[in-house]
Amino acid sequence: MNTELEAALAALRRGEAIGLPTETVYGLAADASRPDAVRRIFTLKGRPADHPLIVHLGSAAQMDDWAVDIPESARVLAKAFWPGPLTLILRKQPQVPDEVTGGQSTVGLRCPDHPLALQLLQAFGGGLAAPSANRFGRISPTSAAHVRAEFGESVPVVLDGGDCAVGIESTIVDLSGDLPRILRPGRIGRAQLEALVGFVAEGASGDSPRASGTLEAHYAPRTPLLMLPRAALESEALQQQVLGKRVEVLCLDTLPEGLPGLALPRRASDYEHGLYAALRELDARGVNLLLAERPPESEDWLAVHDRLRRSAAGAGQDAT
Ligand code: TXA
Ligand code: MG
């Protein structure tokens, strides 16, 4: 094992939180079996204590250590998609700390598809509770540098696993109720899930477990953000400029002539890969308004719509 991994392992065993690379976004990870370690995550993030965290596992064989009454559908999905960007909500084992589940009767489990994370998890042996490594409500980190920018010296150990391949958070599927239900859209879409387990509902129901990724205002830049179709975006930008406001745009494929900003590829998975880094970069330019071009309406863009909509809802508020 290399020295970075050893340092990370030692920090986890001391009950500290570390920056953990995964294929989706970076996590802020601590020993999921230790309430004191999990509480540190909440303090560092500034996150309300009743928001549940995902427990990361080294393999699907560990599912039974954390969950009970595991339905066949969970085994099928874990076999097909783990390691990978899929979180399963299951009924929890009694010994899972309330700090991890927000006091709920369910637990979120996922096996991340990243070589460093898997090596660390296998050496650690237990589960690692890890939310995204950003301050509460803010943009998720997709590089080690983003994690350092969020937490600085308060999180001294950040494992550098490069840029996250997926770039947006895992799909969350609740398997604790009557029907499988997508609580948060991600790279693994509804059709892929339905091909294996039949009908899958979309969106939280009244009695669904709470998920902070399902709060309206989330993933937000400090700069106000609006999502508009391209033509409306161009005229809004020009109007703002006439008023003396500074504007940056986030567009598909190309930038409209004369407008500053960034363009991301017109392919959902490539767009997802670049989204959070682009939002961070545009936010750092310190302008008055960000304008994001509305992506296509097709199924494969669902997760992007979800993240942009929430970014727009939370933008411009100086929350932590
Ligand atoms: O891709 C990911 O899922 C990343 C990486 C680090 O694995 N993690 C992540 O964690 O996005 P976080 O905490 O930012 O979002 C996890 C979501 C939250 O919306 C949380 O409420 C939900 O998972 N969650 C966790 N346990 C749950 C439970 N028992 N019931 C319902 N939702 C749960
Ligand atoms: Mg998060």
Coordinates of all heavy atoms in Angstrom, one line a residue, residues 35 38-39 42 48-53 89-108 208-210:
P35 N -20.2 6.7 16.0 CA -20.9 7.9 16.1 C -20.1 9.2 16.2 O -20.3 10.2 15.5 CB -21.8 7.8 17.3 CG -22.0 6.3 17.5 CD -20.7 5.7 17.0
V38 N -18.7 10.0 12.7 CA -19.7 10.5 11.8 C -20.1 11.9 12.2 O -20.4 12.7 11.3 CB -21.0 9.5 11.9 CG1 -22.1 10.0 11.0 CG2 -20.5 8.1 11.4
R39 N -20.2 12.2 13.5 CA -20.5 13.6 13.9 C -19.6 14.6 13.4 O -19.9 15.7 13.0 CB -20.7 13.7 15.4 CG -22.0 13.1 15.9 CD -22.3 13.6 17.3 NE -21.4 13.0 18.3 CZ -21.6 11.8 18.9 NH1 -22.7 11.2 18.7 NH2 -20.7 11.4 19.8
F42 N -20.6 15.9 10.0 CA -21.7 16.9 10.0 C -21.2 18.3 10.4 O -21.5 19.3 9.9 CB -22.8 16.5 11.0 CG -23.6 15.3 10.5 CD1 -23.3 14.0 10.7 CD2 -24.7 15.6 9.7 CE1 -24.1 13.0 10.2 CE2 -25.5 14.6 9.2 CZ -25.2 13.3 9.4
P48 N -27.3 19.8 8.6 CA -28.2 19.4 9.6 C -28.1 17.9 10.0 O -27.9 17.1 9.1 CB -29.6 19.7 9.0 CG -29.4 20.6 7.9 CD -28.0 20.3 7.4
A49 N -28.2 17.6 11.3 CA -27.8 16.3 11.8 C -28.8 15.2 11.4 O -28.5 14.1 11.5 CB -27.7 16.3 13.3
D50 N -30.0 15.6 11.0 CA -31.0 14.6 10.6 C -31.0 14.2 9.2 O -31.8 13.5 8.7 CB -32.4 15.1 11.0 CG -32.9 16.3 10.2 OD1 -32.0 16.9 9.6 OD2 -34.1 16.6 10.2
H51 N -29.9 14.6 8.4 CA -29.8 14.2 7.0 C -28.9 12.9 7.0 O -27.8 13.0 7.4 CB -29.1 15.3 6.2 CG -30.1 16.4 5.9 ND1 -30.2 17.0 4.6 CD2 -31.0 17.1 6.7 CE1 -31.1 17.9 4.7 NE2 -31.6 18.0 5.9
P52 N -29.5 11.9 6.4 CA -28.8 10.6 6.4 C -27.6 10.6 5.4 O -27.6 11.3 4.4 CB -29.8 9.6 6.0 CG -30.8 10.4 5.2 CD -30.8 11.7 5.8
L53 N -26.6 9.8 5.7 CA -25.4 9.6 4.9 C -25.4 8.3 4.2 O -25.9 7.3 4.7 CB -24.1 9.7 5.8 CG -24.0 10.9 6.7 CD1 -22.7 10.8 7.4 CD2 -24.0 12.2 5.8
I89 N -31.3 2.1 -1.0 CA -31.9 2.4 0.4 C -32.6 1.1 0.8 O -33.5 0.6 0.2 CB -32.9 3.6 0.3 CG1 -32.2 4.8 -0.3 CG2 -33.4 3.8 1.7 CD1 -31.1 5.4 0.4
L90 N -32.1 0.6 2.0 CA -32.6 -0.7 2.5 C -32.9 -0.5 4.0 O -32.5 0.5 4.6 CB -31.5 -1.8 2.3 CG -31.1 -2.1 0.9 CD1 -29.8 -2.9 0.9 CD2 -32.2 -2.8 0.1
R91 N -33.7 -1.5 4.5 CA -34.0 -1.4 6.0 C -32.6 -1.7 6.7 O -31.9 -2.6 6.3 CB -35.0 -2.5 6.3 CG -36.4 -2.2 5.8 CD -37.3 -3.3 6.2 NE -38.5 -3.2 5.3 CZ -39.5 -2.3 5.5 NH1 -39.5 -1.5 6.5 NH2 -40.5 -2.3 4.6
K92 N -32.4 -1.0 7.8 CA -31.1 -1.0 8.4 C -31.0 -2.1 9.5 O -32.0 -2.5 10.1 CB -30.7 0.3 9.0 CG -31.5 0.6 10.3 CD -31.0 1.9 10.9 CE -31.4 2.1 12.3 NZ -30.5 1.5 13.3
Q93 N -29.8 -2.6 9.7 CA -29.4 -3.4 10.8 C -29.6 -2.6 12.1 O -29.2 -1.4 12.0 CB -28.0 -3.9 10.7 CG -27.7 -5.0 9.7 CD -28.0 -6.4 10.4 OE1 -28.5 -6.5 11.5 NE2 -27.7 -7.4 9.6
P94 N -30.0 -3.2 13.2 CA -30.2 -2.4 14.4 C -29.0 -1.6 14.9 O -29.1 -0.6 15.5 CB -30.6 -3.4 15.5 CG -30.9 -4.7 14.7 CD -30.4 -4.6 13.3
Q95 N -27.8 -2.2 14.6 CA -26.6 -1.5 15.2 C -26.0 -0.4 14.3 O -25.1 0.3 14.7 CB -25.4 -2.6 15.4 CG -24.7 -3.0 14.1 CD -25.4 -4.1 13.4 OE1 -26.5 -4.5 13.7 NE2 -24.7 -4.7 12.4
V96 N -26.7 -0.1 13.2 CA -26.2 1.1 12.4 C -26.5 2.4 13.2 O -27.7 2.6 13.6 CB -26.9 1.1 11.0 CG1 -26.4 2.3 10.2 CG2 -26.8 -0.2 10.3
P97 N -25.5 3.2 13.5 CA -25.7 4.4 14.3 C -26.8 5.3 13.7 O -26.8 5.5 12.5 CB -24.4 5.0 14.4 CG -23.4 4.0 13.9 CD -24.1 3.1 13.0
D98 N -27.6 5.9 14.6 CA -28.6 6.9 14.2 C -27.9 8.1 13.5 O -28.5 8.8 12.7 CB -29.3 7.5 15.4 CG -30.4 6.5 15.9 OD1 -30.8 5.7 15.1 OD2 -30.9 6.6 17.0
E99 N -26.6 8.4 13.9 CA -25.9 9.5 13.3 C -25.8 9.3 11.7 O -25.7 10.2 11.0 CB -24.5 9.6 13.9 CG -24.4 10.3 15.2 CD -24.9 9.3 16.4 OE1 -25.2 8.1 16.1 OE2 -24.9 9.8 17.5
V100 N -25.7 8.0 11.3 CA -25.6 7.7 9.9 C -26.9 7.8 9.2 O -27.0 8.3 8.0 CB -25.0 6.2 9.7 CG1 -25.1 5.8 8.2 CG2 -23.6 6.2 10.3
T101 N -28.0 7.4 9.8 CA -29.3 7.2 9.1 C -30.2 8.4 9.4 O -31.3 8.5 8.9 CB -30.0 6.0 9.6 OG1 -30.3 6.1 11.0 CG2 -29.2 4.7 9.4
G102 N -29.7 9.4 10.2 CA -30.6 10.5 10.6 C -31.8 10.0 11.4 O -32.8 10.6 11.4
G103 N -31.6 8.9 12.1 CA -32.6 8.4 13.0 C -33.7 7.6 12.2 O -34.7 7.2 12.8
Q104 N -33.5 7.4 10.9 CA -34.5 6.7 10.1 C -34.3 5.2 10.2 O -33.2 4.7 10.7 CB -34.4 7.1 8.7 CG -34.6 8.6 8.4 CD -34.6 8.9 7.0 OE1 -35.6 8.8 6.3 NE2 -33.5 9.4 6.5
S105 N -35.2 4.4 9.8 CA -35.1 2.9 9.8 C -34.4 2.3 8.6 O -34.4 1.1 8.5 CB -36.5 2.3 10.0 OG -37.3 2.8 8.9
T106 N -34.0 3.2 7.7 CA -33.3 2.7 6.5 C -31.9 3.2 6.5 O -31.5 4.1 7.2 CB -34.0 3.3 5.3 OG1 -34.1 4.7 5.4 CG2 -35.4 2.7 5.1
V107 N -31.1 2.5 5.6 CA -29.7 2.9 5.4 C -29.4 2.9 3.9 O -29.9 2.1 3.2 CB -28.7 2.0 6.2 CG1 -28.8 0.6 5.7 CG2 -27.3 2.5 6.1
G108 N -28.6 3.9 3.4 CA -28.2 4.0 2.0 C -26.8 3.3 1.9 O -25.9 3.6 2.6
S208 N -41.6 8.5 1.6 CA -40.2 8.1 1.2 C -39.2 8.7 2.3 O -39.5 9.7 2.9 CB -39.8 8.8 -0.1 OG -40.5 8.2 -1.2
P209 N -38.1 8.0 2.4 CA -37.1 8.5 3.3 C -36.6 9.9 2.8 O -36.6 10.1 1.6 CB -36.0 7.5 3.2 CG -36.5 6.3 2.4 CD -37.7 6.8 1.7
R210 N -36.1 10.7 3.7 CA -35.6 12.0 3.3 C -34.3 11.9 2.6 O -33.4 11.1 3.0 CB -35.4 12.9 4.6 CG -36.7 13.3 5.3 CD -36.4 14.2 6.4 NE -35.4 13.7 7.3 CZ -35.6 12.9 8.3 NH1 -36.8 12.5 8.5 NH2 -34.6 12.5 9.1

